[in-house]
Amino acid sequence: MNPMPRAPEGVLELRSRELVAWVIPFGARLMQLWWLGAPEGPRPLTLGFASPEAYRSDTMALGAVCGRYANRIADAVLERDGQRWKLDVNHALGHCLHGGRAGFGVRDWELARHDEAAACLRLRSPDGDQGFPGTCDAEVEYAVKDFALEWTASARTSAACPVNLVQHSYWNLDAAAGLGGHRLQVGASSYLPVDARELPGDPLPVQGTWRDWRESAPIPAQRVPELDSAMLLDTPATSLREVARLQAGGLGLRLLTDQPLLHLYAGAGLAPTQARLGVEHRPGAGLCLETEAWPNGPALGRAVWYDAQRPYLHRMRLEFERI
């Protein structure tokens, strides 16, 4: 059996009976989640790098917390109540992606507290950071409990500002070279198509398409290049509820969240760069399960603005089981 690797220097280790999580302050990232009870010994369940320093040159947001507003904001512009804010442009088609070039996923977060089972990280984003209005104080907590990983993100803003913090790990449950052995189920009857500018359109039904995962089904390998879209979840986003399942290699994952959408991304842009932790970084090597608010939500008039009287909260829970 493979031994449990020792956590590199600077890594926060969280441990439960079944899981070990490695967290780093840079980008508030989940560096790795290990399944201790795998038949071959501790199994890495996400894509990552062997060294914490390697993440500083990462362009694929591996394990990162993306924000202030994850996903795209059209033309990198916010407009509200007659005011207009120009955001940082870091997308090839002129949008603001994942909060800009210096978004939350490439910032050094402050460690607020850490014990055997949990770690809490904080970040202050000043007024005007990447063009966003108001000071934003964000907090993220990772916690392992028995056979589950809990992730909670919260934020308070001094002025009205859209917020959408997303956990961006790439999951691979069987430690194989791709997602071929995985089966996915998502409680979504519709998805958001994207146009030529990679902006979401009106929801379309999944019925009759390859995106229909209302029943457990494989992820078609030939669809990896285009699997980068948000699923509109059927159940109301009023509380923590189960929205998806992923299975492979004798392990099942139940995903619970309080958000309205689940963005699926099969890593079409992945490529080997530095020494890896987990499987090799190739297209289709891992699946992002990004619980989120609406992509381009500010332009679509969605309720994604927060202020001093309305704090932001986002909860996600990953429950694992042997199958």
Side-chain angles (χ1 to χ4, degrees):
M1 292 179 61
N2 300 323
M4 176 67 201
R6 184 175 180 179
E9 185 177 354
V11 172
L12 307 171
E13 184 172 277
L14 319 177
R15 184 179 289 267
S16 70
R17 173 176 51 86
E18 295 278 2
L19 300 170
V20 170
W22 286 357
V23 175
I24 57 174
F26 179 71
R29 297 187 186 223
L30 179 65
M31 180 175 172
Q32 191 53 264
L33 184 68
W34 302 89
W35 175 25
L36 297 178
E40 71 277 13
R43 179 189 297 175
L45 301 180
T46 74
L47 275 59
F49 294 110
S51 166
E53 290 302 312
Y55 289 88
R56 294 190 176 273
S57 58
D58 170 41
T59 61
M60 297 297 293
L62 267 72
V65 172
C66 301
R68 282 186 202 193
Y69 203 93
N71 219 307
R72 295 151 183 77
I73 294 180
D75 302 316
V77 169
L78 295 176
E79 292 183 322
R80 193 185 197 205
D81 297 334
Q83 292 184 279
R84 190 175 191 270
W85 298 268
K86 182 63 177 173
L87 308 179
D88 183 63
V89 177
N90 64 327
H91 186 281
L93 297 177
H95 313 309
C96 182
L97 176 65
H98 291 332
R101 283 170 290 182
F104 289 7
V106 293
R107 303 281 277 276
D108 287 299
W109 292 56
E110 175 188 354
L111 178 61
R113 59 183 182 274
H114 174 219
D115 59 32
E116 183 181 55
C120 179
L121 300 155
R122 291 174 181 160
L123 179 71
R124 167 160 283 195
S125 173
D127 181 26
D129 186 10
Q130 308 304 294
F132 287 94
T135 297
C136 178
D137 288 300
E139 184 171 289
V140 165
E141 181 181 74
Y142 292 92
V144 290
K145 298 179 180 180
D146 296 326
F147 215 176
L149 172 69
E150 295 182 350
W151 179 85
T152 304
S154 60
R156 291 183 177 273
T157 59
S158 64
C161 182
V163 180
N164 181 30
L165 304 184
V166 165
Q167 208 289 325
H168 202 281
S169 288
Y170 294 74
W171 297 95
N172 180 307
L173 301 186
D174 61 4
L179 294 169
H182 289 65
R183 295 184 68 85
L184 175 66
Q185 184 173 2
V186 181
S189 299
S190 56
Y191 74 100
L192 305 187
V194 293
D195 61 19
R197 300 189 65 216
E198 298 186 8
L199 296 173
D202 293 332
L204 292 177
V206 300
Q207 186 171 355
T209 77
W210 62 269
R211 301 176 192 270
D212 191 349
W213 283 292
R214 289 174 294 176
E215 300 293 334
S216 179
I219 301 166
Q222 69 273 23
R223 298 296 187 178
V224 164
E226 55 190 304
L227 182 50
D228 186 6
S229 56
M231 313 294 288
L232 181 57
L233 299 167
D234 291 337
T235 51
T238 55
S239 61
L240 199 66
R241 81 283 193 210
E242 181 180 333
V243 299
R245 294 190 178 197
L246 188 66
Q247 297 179 341
L251 188 64
L253 181 161
R254 297 175 62 239
L255 175 65
L256 297 86
T257 186
D258 58 2
Q259 297 299 293
L261 294 107
L262 173 64
H263 195 101
L264 301 176
Y265 176 52
L270 288 170
T273 54
Q274 303 193 49
R276 59 185 169 87
L277 184 64
V279 303
E280 188 172 10
H281 301 178
R282 296 282 186 184
L287 180 67
C288 289
L289 301 168
E290 305 167 45
T291 58
E292 64 173 0
W294 286 78
N296 199 28
L300 298 177
R302 298 292 174 175
V304 295
W305 289 76
Y306 297 86
D307 56 31
Q309 286 70 48
R310 185 188 179 218
Y312 171 85
L313 179 65
H314 178 173
R315 294 181 296 161
M316 180 180 72
R317 179 179 171 89
L318 305 172
E319 297 180 351
F320 298 90
E321 61 180 350
R322 293 174 175 81
I323 56 174

